[in-house]
Amino acid sequence: MKKSAGFTLLELIVVMVIVGILAVTAMSRYGNKSSFSLKTEQEQLIAALFQAQQLAMSGRPTQFAILSLNSFSVRDATDPANHYSVASITYPQQLTAGVSFNPSTLVRTYSALGATSPATITLSADGDSVAVCLEASGYAHAC
């Protein structure tokens, strides 16, 4: 019986693991730390906007607010001092050191249908920047 030429599944998995380890090592040495922080903060901001929309759609009068250059909150629209605590996330949330918002203050109130007024929020650090677009429908996404 003739042995077929090719790679075994084990050989392919070992090569993939080695390439993965090399990729992680290279990214940690050559990747820009501020870009990782910015992407993390961008995702957290999108999640907070989504939470504010969902709270408003569940019948709670909800606002999303950027309180300063480096903090944001989801709060009760009828009592802005009252911040929501969703799951294990408590508000206001602080950004990672060195990351800031533009605009530095912003308040958006959500309707019972989850709609709000549109905005573009830019996060920046060390000369890099990313943006979050908030649509009139309440949908938040990276832009």
Side-chain angles (χ1 to χ4, degrees):
M1 180 174 250
K2 189 174 182 180
K3 186 175 180 183
S4 64
F7 298 106
T8 66
L9 182 60
L10 181 62
E11 290 170 330
L12 290 174
I13 291 173
V14 168
V15 169
M16 288 173 37
V17 167
I18 292 171
V19 168
I21 291 170
L22 291 174
V24 167
T25 304
M27 286 298 291
S28 66
R29 291 180 184 240
Y30 301 111
N32 186 351
K33 184 178 179 186
S34 69
S35 66
F36 290 122
S37 296
L38 279 175
K39 292 301 276 182
T40 301
E41 296 297 342
Q42 181 184 39
E43 293 300 322
Q44 288 178 348
L45 181 60
I46 291 170
L49 290 164
F50 179 74
Q51 286 176 349
Q53 182 187 37
Q54 294 300 307
L55 285 167
M57 291 171 63
S58 71
R60 297 173 170 170
T62 307
Q63 285 182 333
F64 168 80
I66 295 176
L67 304 172
S68 66
L69 279 173
N70 62 355
S71 70
F72 61 94
S73 184
V74 174
R75 60 191 188 184
D76 186 329
T78 59
D79 180 12
N82 183 9
H83 301 279
Y84 289 116
S85 180
V86 182
S88 62
I89 300 170
T90 56
Y91 291 100
Q93 285 283 307
Q94 299 294 319
L95 294 178
T96 304
V99 178
S100 64
F101 285 116
N102 185 15
S104 60
T105 57
L106 175 80
V107 176
R108 291 294 183 261
T109 302
Y110 286 85
S111 72
L113 295 175
T116 189
S117 53
T120 301
I121 304 165
T122 305
L123 295 114
S124 57
D126 298 333
D128 292 333
S129 65
V130 295
V132 173
C133 290
L134 179 61
E135 307 293 338
S137 64
Y139 175 64
H141 60 92
C143 55

